[in-house]
C-alpha cells in the first residue's frame, strides 16, 4: 500500500498538468488561469478563517486536558478545513476538487464518518499486531486474564492461603529479596 501511495503522489503533478492542458483546450487559457487563481484565493481565505478557529479549538482542548475533562469540540473539522484550504492553494483541478470536498459543510460529515471508520479499523489492526507480538515474546497481553495478569489476587500474596511463590513462569529473571526501610529520623 505505501508503494501505491508513493506512485500516486509521483503521478499527481503529471495528471494535474495534463488536466490543465485539457481544460485549457476546452475553455481557453485565460479562463483556465482565472479558475486556478480564483481557487487559490478561495484556499487562502479558507486558511485565514480556519486558522483563527483552529487556534480556539486547540486552546479549548488544551484547557480540557488540564482540567481532565473531555474536549467540547473535535479537532477533525478544523483539520479538514485546513487540509482543504491547502489543497485549494495548490494549483490544479484534482487537488482543488479534493479541497472543495473537505471545505464544503455538506460533505464534511460524510468525510468525518469515513475517517472515523478508517481510524477504528486501523487501531484494531494495530492492537491485534501488538497483542500478537506480545504473545510471541511470552509477555502477558493487557486485558487477558484480568488487568493484572493470570494468578493475580486482589489482596496481594498474603491473601492467598497457600505459598505466595507458586506463580506461573512468564519468562525473564526473578530476583528474590526483601525490603528493609531505613530508620533515619
Amino acid at each position: 500500500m505505501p508503494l501505491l501511495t508513493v506512485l500516486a503522489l509521483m503521478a499527481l503533478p503529471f495528471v494535474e498538468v495534463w488536466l490543465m492542458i485539457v481544460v485549457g483546450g476546452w475553455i481557453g487559457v485565460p479562463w483556465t488561469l482565472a479558475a486556478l487563481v480564483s481557487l487559490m484565493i478561495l484556499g487562502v481565505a479558507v486558511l485565514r478563517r480556519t486558522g483563527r478557529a483552529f487556534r480556539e479549538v486547540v486552546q479549548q482542548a488544551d484547557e480540557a486536558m488540564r482540567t481532565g475533562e473531555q474536549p467540547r469540540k473535535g479537532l477533525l473539522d478544523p483539520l479538514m478545513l485546513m487540509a482543504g484550504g491547502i489543497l485549494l492553494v495548490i494549483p490544479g483541478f484534482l487537488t482543488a476538487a479534493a479541497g472543495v470536498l473537505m471545505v464544503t459543510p455538506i460533505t464534511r460529515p460524510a468525510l468525518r464518518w469515513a475517517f472515523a471508520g478508517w481510524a477504528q479499523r486501523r487501531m484494531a489492526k494495530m492492537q491485534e499486531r501488538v497483542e500478537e507480538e506480545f504473545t510471541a515474546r511470552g509477555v502477558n497481553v493487557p486485558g487477558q486474564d484480568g488487568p493484572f495478569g493470570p494468578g493475580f489476587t486482589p489482596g496481594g500474596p498474603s491473601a492467598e492461603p497457600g505459598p505466595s511463590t507458586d506463580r506461573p513462569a512468564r519468562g525473564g529473571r526473578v530476583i528474590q529479596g526483601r525490603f528493609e526501610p531505613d530508620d533515619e529520623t
Side-chain angles (χ1 to χ4, degrees), residues 102-119:
M102 289 185 176
V103 168
T104 307
I106 296 171
T107 57
R108 230 177 306 140
L111 291 173
R112 190 180 323 115
W113 174 77
F115 178 76
W118 172 82

Side-chain angles (χ1 to χ4, degrees), residues 61-166:
D62 184 43
E63 184 65 30
M65 282 188 229
R66 288 181 191 187
T67 60
E69 299 173 0
Q70 288 282 1
R72 281 178 254 134
K73 292 184 178 179
L75 287 172
L76 193 55
D77 276 347
L79 285 175
M80 279 197 295
L81 285 170
M82 290 185 87
I86 290 169
L87 288 173
L88 283 168
V89 169
I90 296 172
F93 290 109
L94 286 178
T95 55
V100 166
L101 283 175
M102 289 185 176
V103 168
T104 307
I106 296 171
T107 57
R108 230 177 306 140
L111 291 173
R112 190 180 323 115
W113 174 77
F115 178 76
W118 172 82
Q120 285 178 339
R121 287 188 304 274
R122 184 79 177 144
M123 291 296 289
K125 282 183 183 179
M126 287 174 41
Q127 185 176 5
E128 287 174 12
R129 278 194 211 137
V130 167
E131 287 176 359
E132 288 173 3
E133 185 68 27
F134 280 162
T135 304
R137 292 183 182 196
V139 177
N140 184 31
V141 178
Q144 290 183 346
D145 297 319
F148 302 103
F152 176 77
T153 308
S158 62
E160 292 181 3
S164 64
T165 57
D166 295 337

Side-chain angles (χ1 to χ4, degrees), residues 47-48 50-61 78 82:
L47 283 174
R48 287 187 64 162
T50 304
R52 293 182 197 116
F54 186 70
R55 272 186 249 124
E56 290 174 8
V57 169
V58 168
Q59 287 173 351
Q60 289 175 358
M82 290 185 87

